[in-house]
Amino acid sequence: MKTELTQNGPGEVGMTFQAELPFEEWREIGQRFGEATKRFSWALGDWLVYGGTNFKKRISSEMFEEAEKTTGVDRASLLALATVCRRIPMEKRIAHLSFEHHQAVASIANEESRFGWLQFLAGKDSQPSKKILKLSISCSPKEPRLITKEEYEGRKRKFGSDNYIVHLTRLLSVLRKTLPAMDEDERAALRADTKDLKRLLELL
């Protein structure tokens, strides 16, 4: 059976382009995809939050399984999207920050600290990488401050890539702080994210 592909537009299994597509138009298409991806994360997360809030009696416990089949997005990712959207309501979101930056900030248990970090990032001329932001938040969740390049390199030299103790200690500390404030959806997302960790611990 022949599959139809759309000229200069996404089809069901791919995308074709005209023979001599101008560079500017090609670049613009990529920019539109980037913007659509950004909006998709927020829209899908808000859709899940709305359904969980307004249709609790009509939605079974398999809601996320159904959403996984419908959207093609895995269950853990769906739970993560919903968690970010629930913890950071629309009026608190910063348009020029990526969803990933909001996701890093959403890991902070204290609501006031979360919004403090968002305002801090909103005032920056350039945004840190996700790795630097996550590390900065783990070092100073209450007082927004980005670690310096020297601090980052110093941590790498001090702990080394094979030293698991510091990472395990940090994980336990974060879990002790955040678990009591988590709702069931967030706990389900955490269980999905730590499946591989559980398997490794069973080998001890």
Side-chain angles (χ1 to χ4, degrees):
M1 181 178 178
K2 185 177 179 180
T3 301
E4 290 188 11
L5 298 176
T6 305
Q7 180 88 354
N8 273 357
E12 291 184 4
V13 294
M15 183 172 179
T16 58
F17 302 88
Q18 65 190 51
E20 297 182 2
L21 182 70
F23 171 78
E24 291 74 17
E25 188 174 341
W26 171 83
R27 182 172 57 186
E28 183 181 346
I29 291 172
Q31 291 171 342
R32 291 203 300 267
F33 281 150
E35 187 62 29
T37 300
K38 177 182 176 181
R39 295 183 181 187
F40 173 78
S41 297
W42 285 120
L44 184 52
D46 285 332
W47 174 72
L48 291 164
V49 172
Y50 183 91
T53 302
N54 292 277
F55 306 121
K56 280 185 177 180
K57 293 182 179 180
R58 298 181 60 182
I59 297 177
S60 67
S61 59
E62 289 79 26
M63 180 186 76
F64 282 97
E65 292 180 11
E66 183 63 30
E68 186 175 7
K69 295 176 183 177
T70 302
T71 64
V73 180
D74 65 270
R75 183 183 177 91
S77 297
L78 290 171
L79 288 164
L81 292 176
T83 298
V84 176
C85 291
R86 184 181 295 105
R87 288 196 157 201
I88 305 179
M90 192 176 298
E91 64 273 12
K92 297 291 186 179
R93 298 168 191 171
I94 308 297
H96 68 271
L97 295 181
S98 70
F99 185 88
E100 287 73 21
H101 283 91
H102 285 83
Q103 189 170 26
V105 173
S107 66
I108 302 173
N110 181 271
E111 182 177 355
E112 185 177 346
S113 297
R114 284 202 299 270
F115 300 144
W117 263 97
L118 285 176
Q119 291 302 316
F120 170 75
L121 292 171
K124 290 289 182 183
D125 293 330
S126 60
Q127 296 304 318
S129 67
K130 289 184 289 184
K131 180 184 292 186
I132 292 296
L133 177 56
K134 289 180 178 179
L135 187 55
S136 298
I137 289 174
S138 69
C139 293
S140 180
K142 294 183 179 180
E143 297 295 331
R145 184 184 74 85
L146 295 176
I147 64 171
T148 65
K149 182 179 180 179
E150 291 72 23
E151 288 176 311
Y152 177 67
E153 294 299 329
R155 290 176 66 88
K156 287 203 301 184
R157 287 193 297 269
K158 180 178 180 181
F159 299 125
S161 58
D162 296 326
N163 190 332
Y164 69 88
I165 298 298
V166 63
H167 304 295
L168 182 58
T169 301
R170 188 179 301 121
L171 173 62
L172 291 173
S173 176
V174 171
L175 290 177
R176 290 191 186 101
K177 292 177 182 178
T178 57
L179 270 174
M182 284 185 175
D183 59 27
E184 184 51 39
D185 286 345
E186 292 168 329
R187 287 173 181 265
L190 180 60
R191 286 194 291 270
D193 289 340
T194 56
K195 284 190 298 184
D196 291 339
L197 176 60
K198 293 175 183 175
R199 295 192 188 101
L200 288 173
L201 291 176
E202 289 174 357
L203 297 176
L204 295 177

